[in-house]
Amino acid sequence: MDPALLREREAFKKRAMATPTVEKKSKPDRPAPPPPSDDSKRKMRPPTAPKLDASTYKTMSGSSQYRFGVLAKIVKFMRTRHQDGDDHPLTIDEILDETNQLDIGQSVKNWLASEALHNNPKVETSPCGTKFSFKPVYKIKDGKTLMRLLKQHDLKGLGGILLDDVQESLPHCEKVLKNRAAEILFIIRPIDKKKILFYNDRTANFSVDEEFQKLWRSATVDAMDDAKIDEYLEKQGIRSMQDHGLKKPVPKRKKAANKKRQFKKPRDNEHLADVLEVYEDNTLTLKGVNPT
């Protein structure tokens, strides 16, 4: 070989020997882990939320607010339908069709048909148990039945009827009240400003003297109770109001059960019982014997 190349080779070796180097040790190969079993796969799987769609969401547990929303919509529809004059009963499928709620779940539908509509105070169930209609406060269908109801309340002293109850019970209520306006009195209740209907009994109409009206309006009894009014009337020598008003029921005393009376034998002369027996024997023996 060329001596110059040999010298360069030797010089390269010396430089390499003089330069420090760090040797990286290779890590020993670890054994591969065993394949996971089926149980471990189940444990390692992250929980996945169920898919929500229109049908599953409406049948989920805990959707009571949605259920009662469906029921409220049905009751409102039944009331409006009754006020329009349609009182024939409908099945649950017909009701859901009319209220555009055919997309509800089967569990909600079963709850409505078997429990909710049967127990609702505003819904009446037909004798067959499969049809439903609105249940009004009063059974009135026209002006005649309304006037008959008001007359009965007037005769029995039951007072008036709320306008809200009449509007809920009577179909085409505004038209009927307009036609019967002369036979009905409307009074506004001062507590809640609600209108009360009374029967206008024309036979009770009479003219009142103006002086009596002034005296009546001048008497203020708003801050007086019944006891104070009675006391005032007694001081004025007026006792005609004692027989009016509510009477407190007097409790009836229970009659004692009739027990059979046991007649007790007389206890007199018990100490002379032996003497009496001897006397009776002597009288029997002396019968028929002459005293001489």
Side-chain angles (χ1 to χ4, degrees), residues 79-131:
R79 180 173 61 248
T80 305
R81 179 173 169 271
H82 175 79
Q83 291 172 349
D84 293 338
D86 298 332
D87 55 354
H88 61 277
L90 300 176
T91 61
I92 184 64
D93 294 328
E94 292 172 345
I95 293 172
L96 295 175
D97 187 15
E98 293 288 340
T99 55
N100 298 322
Q101 298 185 106
L102 291 173
D103 57 341
I104 65 173
Q106 187 63 33
S107 62
V108 180
K109 183 178 178 181
N110 295 336
W111 174 72
L112 290 170
S114 62
E115 182 179 353
L117 293 178
H118 287 280
N119 299 330
N120 195 286
K122 293 295 183 181
V123 179
E124 187 174 5
T125 309
S126 61
C128 61
T130 57
K131 292 186 176 183

Side-chain angles (χ1 to χ4, degrees), residues 138 160-170 173-174 177 184 186-187 194-197:
Y138 301 106
I161 300 174
L162 281 171
L163 177 61
D164 296 340
D165 295 341
V166 175
Q167 290 176 343
E168 183 180 284
S169 306
L170 180 61
C173 178
E174 299 299 330
L177 293 179
I184 301 174
F186 293 89
I187 305 296
K194 289 187 176 182
K195 289 186 177 181
I196 312 296
L197 275 64

Side-chain angles (χ1 to χ4, degrees), residues 15 17 20 23 33 58 63 84 92 97 104 107 113 115 121 128 134 137 185 188 195 204 211 215 229 253 261 280 288:
R15 288 195 301 271
M17 293 295 292
E23 184 180 1
K58 293 179 180 180
S63 59
D84 293 338
I92 184 64
D97 187 15
I104 65 173
S107 62
E115 182 179 353
C128 61
F134 183 71
V137 181
L185 292 176
I188 298 177
K195 289 186 177 181
E211 294 183 1
L215 291 173
I229 293 174
R253 295 181 179 179
R261 296 182 179 178
E280 290 176 356

Side-chain angles (χ1 to χ4, degrees), residues 56-69 107-108:
T56 57
Y57 172 73
K58 293 179 180 180
T59 57
M60 285 175 59
S61 60
S63 59
S64 59
Q65 185 176 2
Y66 169 76
R67 289 187 174 190
F68 287 104
S107 62
V108 180

Side-chain angles (χ1 to χ4, degrees), residues 283-291:
T283 55
L284 289 174
T285 55
L286 291 176
K287 280 185 180 181
V289 179
N290 293 326

Side-chain angles (χ1 to χ4, degrees), residues 220-238:
T220 57
V221 293
D222 295 339
M224 299 178 66
D225 55 3
D226 294 340
K228 291 182 179 180
I229 293 174
D230 292 340
E231 183 180 356
Y232 174 79
L233 293 176
E234 287 181 2
K235 289 181 180 179
Q236 300 298 325
I238 300 173

